[in-house]
Amino acid sequence: MANRNYNKSIDWITVGLYSLLVIFGWLNIYAANFNPENPVFFDTSKEYFKQLVWIGFSLVFVGMILITDSKFYVEFAYIFYGITILLLIVVLLFGKEINGAKSWFEIGPIRFQPAELSKMATNLAVARALSRYGFSFEKFSDILKAGAVVLFPMLLILLQNDTGSALVYSVFIIVFYREGLTGYILTFGVIAAIVATLTLMIPNATIIGLIVISVLVILYIKGARKELMKAVIFGAIVLGLSYGAYAYFNFNIDLEYILIPSVVVTSVYLIYTTIAKRINKFVPTYLIILWSAIILTVSADYFFEDILSHYQRTRINVLLGLEEDPLGAGYNVNQSKIAIGSGGLTGKGYLQGTQTKFDFVPEQSTDFIYCTVGEEWGFVGSTAVVLLFLGLLLRLIFLAEKQHSTFSRVYGYGVAAIFFFHFAINIGMTIGLAPVIGIPLPFFSYGGSSLWGFTLLLFVFLKLDINRNELIR
């Protein structure tokens, strides 16, 4: 009876999409490793054979997940989170450095990357935190607690010099927004990202960025436009006077520093307005956004020049068109685009790709596996992969909205957000639309850690979905 109920409850559409992605992914890993001069199928030293073993273990993990009580994942969410935090600290101290990132445990022939497991554990912890009784994003303390759950593993992974894996955690802002985080912060985040990019491309873009942010925030906030507009006008007047003094006396300072008097005047007026006129709902929000914008835009150059490594800076500059390095930082992307473009409409045929067979594309079975799809399966195959991922994402969102438990809904949106980031950035970097940050394509890229991590992440949610009517907050 239990098995019959289980078979009726599991979402077989999602299982089917998962199966198709895993199978198609393995076929392309095999193609990337295929040697036409020595066409041996079961070569235990090859990546495709090892991936087959990882797939077998994944199925065992799926079985273990599905026979475990759903409430286990709720009750032990923080324990899982604590274990992965401990693993991230230990690997930072004693892990093996591979490709510049000290993020791997190596035991004999086996390598394991705890950052992959940390995504699931962090998602569980976020779901537990947001489903706590009385939690509200209107409370600043609750925002700090939710943010700390995400930022702690993110910072540890950054210390491992694995920027790509760390950036994945930024997508939890989407989950927060779904659960009630004010749209001001999300809107500001998007604008700040654009402005931070402009500061790298346009000299003295900080001033332009702050003006844009101020105007857009005023238009977005309805409750205090009059007072906010006054503050901006006062700030603009002081900015003009500061710039005049800068030009007349030829001060030997960076142009951004003339913002300081303007921002101080604006801030003083806003504080006065808050106290004297008791407009305490929107004005403090604008004040926080203003200073946050200053910190972000001014620190963009510092982060770019002093935090990022040389090859990371070069990759970003190549992406933005500020540098050309076709034989260095831009080599992977150029070769990937050549491989994808050479596939045409229907591809060269399975196992017929020349770019992949002769190793023109580095990391062709891991981060750049999508170029193998493009070369051998063409536009049709590439589109099919994109549609499979879109189908999976839409299905996850659909299931998340059906959950009666806040924990399950938050966890489901976290799964969808993580998959979306990996899918969008990985494919984007193979076709030159995103920086190369070294993250795998779910279920396609070679590697046991990533396959297991994505499988656990997905099937824990499917288990929660099976008992969607039974879980408590």
Side-chain angles (χ1 to χ4, degrees):
M1 179 66 70
N3 287 337
R4 286 198 297 270
N5 291 336
Y6 156 75
N7 288 333
K8 291 179 182 178
S9 300
I10 193 169
D11 187 69
W12 289 106
I13 295 177
T14 305
V15 173
L17 290 169
Y18 165 80
S19 302
L20 288 173
L21 289 168
V22 170
I23 293 170
F24 198 23
W26 183 85
L27 288 173
N28 283 279
I29 291 173
Y30 179 80
N33 284 261
F34 180 74
N35 183 359
E37 297 179 357
N38 185 26
V40 179
F41 182 71
F42 282 108
D43 186 344
T44 57
S45 66
K46 295 294 185 180
E47 292 178 345
Y48 59 79
F49 182 84
K50 295 176 183 178
Q51 188 74 2
L52 204 58
V53 175
W54 307 145
I55 292 173
F57 276 107
S58 296
L59 297 179
V60 174
F61 295 151
V62 168
M64 294 173 63
I65 291 170
L66 295 180
I67 64 175
T68 304
D69 193 313
S70 298
K71 293 182 181 179
F72 172 80
Y73 303 107
V74 181
E75 298 300 327
F76 286 83
Y78 288 140
I79 294 178
F80 290 145
Y81 178 76
I83 292 173
T84 57
I85 291 297
L86 180 61
L87 289 174
L88 291 175
I89 294 173
V90 173
V91 77
L92 185 62
L93 298 174
F94 305 106
K96 181 178 179 61
E97 183 174 322
I98 298 176
N99 294 330
K102 195 175 182 180
S103 57
W104 296 83
F105 288 118
E106 186 174 57
I107 304 174
I110 299 175
R111 291 177 181 173
F112 172 68
Q113 189 177 17
E116 296 296 337
L117 183 61
S118 175
K119 297 169 191 174
M120 183 198 73
T122 302
N123 198 19
L124 286 171
V126 167
R128 185 64 189 272
L130 270 59
S131 61
R132 179 175 53 84
Y133 180 78
F135 180 91
S136 173
F137 275 111
E138 294 183 359
K139 301 176 183 177
F140 186 66
S141 60
D142 284 347
I143 294 177
L144 288 179
K145 291 175 183 176
V149 171
V150 175
L151 288 176
F152 196 25
M154 185 178 183
L155 291 175
L156 288 174
I157 294 171
L158 275 175
L159 290 175
Q160 298 169 11
N161 199 27
D162 189 0
T163 308
S165 295
L167 288 175
V168 174
Y169 291 80
S170 63
V171 297
F172 280 103
I173 190 71
I174 300 174
V175 182
F176 293 169
Y177 180 66
R178 167 60 183 83
E179 294 303 312
L181 183 67
T182 174
Y184 302 146
I185 297 177
L186 188 62
T187 303
F188 164 71
V190 174
I191 297 171
I194 295 172
V195 171
T197 303
L198 287 176
T199 59
L200 302 178
M201 300 179 67
I202 305 173
N204 303 316
T206 304
I207 297 175
I208 301 172
L210 287 178
I211 293 172
V212 171
I213 288 175
S214 297
V215 173
L216 290 177
V217 171
I218 290 172
L219 293 175
Y220 193 77
I221 296 177
K222 298 179 180 179
R225 284 181 183 171
K226 184 178 179 181
E227 297 301 326
L228 292 175
M229 188 60 74
K230 287 181 181 178
V232 172
I233 291 173
F234 291 152
I237 293 173
V238 175
L239 177 62
L241 294 174
S242 300
Y243 184 77
Y246 168 85
Y248 182 79
F249 293 104
N250 194 23
F251 290 129
N252 188 25
I253 60 173
D254 290 337
L255 186 58
E256 283 85 354
Y257 285 103
I258 70 170
L259 279 170
I260 295 176
S262 174
V263 171
V264 170
V265 169
T266 302
S267 301
V268 169
Y269 179 78
L270 290 174
I271 294 171
Y272 163 77
T273 301
T274 303
I275 298 173
K277 300 188 178 182
R278 298 181 180 180
I279 302 178
N280 55 11
K281 186 175 182 180
F282 297 108
V283 172
T285 301
Y286 178 77
L287 193 60
I288 293 172
I289 290 175
L290 178 65
W291 278 99
S292 298
I294 293 168
I295 294 171
L296 281 171
T297 53
V298 171
S299 64
D301 281 334
Y302 170 77
F303 178 82
F304 185 76
E305 296 293 340
D306 299 323
I307 302 298
L308 296 181
S309 62
H310 175 72
Y311 81 91
Q312 290 172 328
R313 294 196 301 270
T314 304
R315 284 178 173 178
I316 293 175
N317 283 332
V318 169
L319 176 70
L320 297 176
L322 301 178
E323 290 184 26
E324 291 186 6
D325 190 13
L327 299 179
Y331 179 78
N332 291 27
V333 176
N334 284 337
Q335 294 300 321
S336 176
K337 290 192 290 186
I338 291 171
I340 293 172
S342 67
L345 180 62
T346 58
K348 297 176 180 178
Y350 187 55
L351 304 181
Q352 302 302 313
T354 55
Q355 291 291 115
T356 55
K357 296 299 173 296
F358 298 107
D359 295 328
F360 285 109
V361 185
E363 311 295 339
Q364 60 194 23
S365 61
T366 53
D367 298 343
F368 283 85
I369 187 69
Y370 189 70
C371 73
T372 304
V373 179
E375 183 180 21
E376 298 196 347
W377 303 84
F379 177 77
V380 174
S382 301
T383 302
V385 172
V386 171
L387 291 177
L388 282 174
F389 274 108
L390 288 178
L392 178 63
L393 292 172
L394 292 174
R395 188 65 184 174
L396 289 173
I397 294 172
F398 172 77
L399 292 178
E401 286 296 334
K402 290 179 66 177
Q403 303 305 308
H404 295 177
S405 156
T406 303
F407 179 92
S408 299
R409 183 180 67 247
V410 172
Y411 184 85
Y413 267 98
V415 175
I418 291 170
F419 280 153
F420 170 75
F421 185 90
H422 275 270
F423 157 71
I425 298 300
N426 181 277
I427 292 181
M429 71 185 191
T430 60
I431 59 178
L433 295 180
V436 179
I437 59 175
I439 61 172
L441 184 62
F443 312 123
F444 270 71
S445 296
Y446 166 76
S449 296
S450 62
L451 177 63
W452 293 350
F454 291 128
T455 299
L456 293 171
L457 188 69
L458 177 63
F459 277 90
V460 166
F461 177 56
L462 291 183
K463 177 59 180 180
L464 295 173
D465 179 64
I466 289 175
N467 302 106
R468 72 170 71 108
N469 298 323
E470 300 177 12
L471 291 177
I472 57 175
R473 287 179 66 90

